[in-house]
């Protein structure tokens, strides 16, 4: 009799221990999905669901120009190398909240035969973004976009003696710009998004104070000589497109417009078309458009066509 009671007690105790362990289960799915804190009465859905994704892409391209018996631009022979490094990470909680970070590094070096070596492309950006869904394809966002160059940039010209003279025009954190905005987001599934910054601010900071004396100016990128930085309030619009037009053709576009109360809008456009030739070979057409009245009253446009080696993780 007592033996039967002891056996039943042990069985009940084992069942209670198993049930108590359910709320503390930790499940790692596919290395990127975490499910924790399940209820004692398991409904099959976790209270916390976090999905993490990462992507790293590196590309390297090399191009050259060689003239023979060329009567124009005799010093135009050159070799150019361009590297691109893009890292992205994203954390999502269902379809209602997303936190993402992106680091983009673009560096190009030009070598002119019997002449100079210069850094032609030096563009580095770090972007942090938070997005949350309010209704269907509408939501809110907050973003911070920081950018600077790494290496020195020089203006090269020929002086009265016929010699090449280099003048420093920009360097690391000279200038450094940050665009901070928050507002309304409109999304187009599988295409991109339109971000309207109802509250925006732009920071321009100059680290190297000697740039004013070098260029013999009193204002540099809108920052006066007597100040270290310029802080502006205004409105902003950002159009982001990231879409596969075809299986082998990808379109990536980033349009940013910032408008303060006193000056015409600052416009920056980066448009890329990527052609996947093979698994490790890719062609790219890059177009950059830039306009800021305090820097130049002309619209600056750059086009770059490259074919190179690509690795994606």
């Amino acid at each position: 009799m007592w033996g039967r009671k002891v056996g039943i007690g042990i069985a009940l105790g084992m069942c209670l221990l198993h049930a108590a362990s359910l709320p503390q289960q930790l499940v790692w799915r596919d290395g990127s999905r975490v499910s924790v804190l399940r209820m004692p009465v398991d409904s099959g859905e976790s209270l916390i669901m976090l999905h993490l994704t990462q992507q790293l892409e590196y590309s390297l391209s090399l191009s050259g120009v060689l003239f023979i018996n060329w009567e124009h631009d005799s010093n135009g022979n050159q070799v150019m190398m361009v590297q691109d490094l893009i890292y992205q990470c994203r954390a999502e909680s269902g379809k209602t909240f997303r936190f993402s970070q992106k680091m983009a590094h673009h560096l190009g070096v030009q070598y002119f035969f019997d002449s100079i070596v210069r850094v032609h492309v030096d563009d580095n950006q770090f972007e942090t973004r938070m997005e949350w869904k309010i209704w269907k394809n509408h939501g809110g966002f907050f973003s911070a976009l920081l950018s600077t160059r790494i290496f020195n940039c020089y203006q090269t010209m020929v002086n009265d003696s016929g010699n090449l003279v280099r003048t420093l025009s920009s360097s690391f954190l000279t200038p450094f710009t940050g665009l901070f905005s928050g507002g309304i987001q409109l999304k187009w599934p599988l295409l991109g998004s339109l971000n309207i910054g109802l509250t925006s601010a732009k920071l321009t900071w100059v680290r190297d104070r000697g740039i004013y004396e070098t260029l013999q100016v009193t204002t540099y990128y809108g920052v006066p000589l007597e100040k270290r930085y310029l802080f502006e309030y205004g409105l902003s619009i950002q159009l982001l497109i990231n879409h596969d037009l075809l299986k082998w053709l990808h379109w990536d576009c980033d349009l940013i417009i910032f408008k303060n109360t006193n000056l015409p809008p600052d416009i920056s456009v980066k448009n890329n078309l990527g052609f996947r030739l093979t698994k490790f070979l890719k062609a790219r057409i890059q177009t950059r458009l830039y306009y800021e009245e305090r820097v130049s009253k002309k619209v600056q446009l750059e086009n770059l066509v490259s074919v190179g080696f690509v690795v994606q993780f």
Side-chain angles (χ1 to χ4, degrees), residues 64-81:
V65 178
L66 178 63
F67 295 104
I68 299 177
N69 297 328
W70 191 254
E71 297 182 359
H72 307 281
D73 300 328
S74 58
N75 294 325
N77 297 335
Q78 61 177 283
V79 175
M80 182 175 182
M81 182 182 67

Side-chain angles (χ1 to χ4, degrees), residues 275-292:
F275 303 85
R276 176 71 68 172
L277 304 178
T278 65
K279 185 177 180 180
F280 298 106
L281 189 63
K282 188 175 182 180
R284 179 175 297 172
I285 301 176
Q286 304 179 60
T287 300
R288 295 200 308 166
L289 184 148
Y290 180 78
Y291 174 77
E292 187 173 349

Side-chain angles (χ1 to χ4, degrees), residues 10-24:
I10 292 174
L12 290 174
M14 294 296 291
C15 292
L16 290 174
L17 286 175
H18 177 69
S21 66
L22 287 178
Q24 302 175 8

